[in-house]
Amino acid sequence: MMFARTAIALAAMLPLTAFAELSNDTLLGPGLRSRPAYDGSDSRKAEFVPVVRYLGRPWFARSTQGVLEGGLRAELAPGLHVGAQLAYEPGRQTGESGFLEAHNLPDIKRGGSVGLHLEWDHKFGPMPVTLLVRGRKNVDADLGAQADVRLSAGVFQGGRFNAGVFTQAVWASSKSVSAFYGVTPAQSVAYGLPAHDAGSGWLNTSFGLLWSIDLAPKWVVVGSFEQRRLRGDAANSPLAERVSNGYATAGLAYRF
């Protein structure tokens, strides 16, 4: 994979330390995120988010790998963990999007999901790498299920500054894609949009940058930049004003 070869090449030239997503440090603090109203929206929103990372035995909780989740995990072999998790699912709020409001589309309620994951942590020389495979099913059966694969690697350390890169791909069931990007014939008449039959498949892919700055032995600023692109039927939906969106997050955390 090009991503892995590039990360390994950088690691050969740069000293590294593990941090945030790529470490087992316990972190807790507040964060701020800028995001689209939903993937594919032209509207944006700023919101407070938690910075949480706790990898205990057997309990864990984290917000540092794309999803706010917590549950149980067990080590199958050195660096290889399997787990079960509950996760927060943000839904979609009509009031955050001018497009949704203009067409009087209903909210998709916030909720939760249950799922399983497999995570592999390794170091190639000084470079920390994490591979996470995760599946989750929304507790609302009408919202279906999703699965994602996320690969992260640390690629730079200079003084108190650390940086890494990640890539992620998300697959969604037909119920999940239809709920967020489908338009039934009845909805087409009611909302004035073209009908769109959305089926299962790849929902989005993304690439991003992770960073952290050590302020003091126990305090660290962490953040990420992510560019996410819709795929398949989601990208072709009349609800997608654009196919690519950016995310930015920064937070202050106490390291335990």
Side-chain angles (χ1 to χ4, degrees), residues 3 19 21 32-35 44 64 150 161-168 206-213 221-228 245-251:
F3 169 81
F19 59 96
E21 178 172 335
L32 184 66
R33 178 171 67 168
S34 172
R35 62 164 176 84
R44 295 195 65 81
T64 52
R150 184 181 179 99
F161 179 75
N162 303 277
V165 290
F166 71 91
T167 185
Q168 182 167 321
S206 61
F207 182 83
L209 171 70
L210 307 165
W211 58 269
S212 69
I213 302 173
V221 177
V222 298
S224 65
F225 301 101
E226 177 183 359
Q227 193 67 29
R228 188 178 299 177
N245 287 110
Y247 288 74
T249 304

Side-chain angles (χ1 to χ4, degrees), residues 2 15 17 28 31 33 35-37 80 142 146 180 244:
M2 181 62 70
T17 60
L28 181 62
R33 178 171 67 168
R35 62 164 176 84
L80 181 64
D142 291 334
Q146 294 185 4
F180 286 89
S244 184

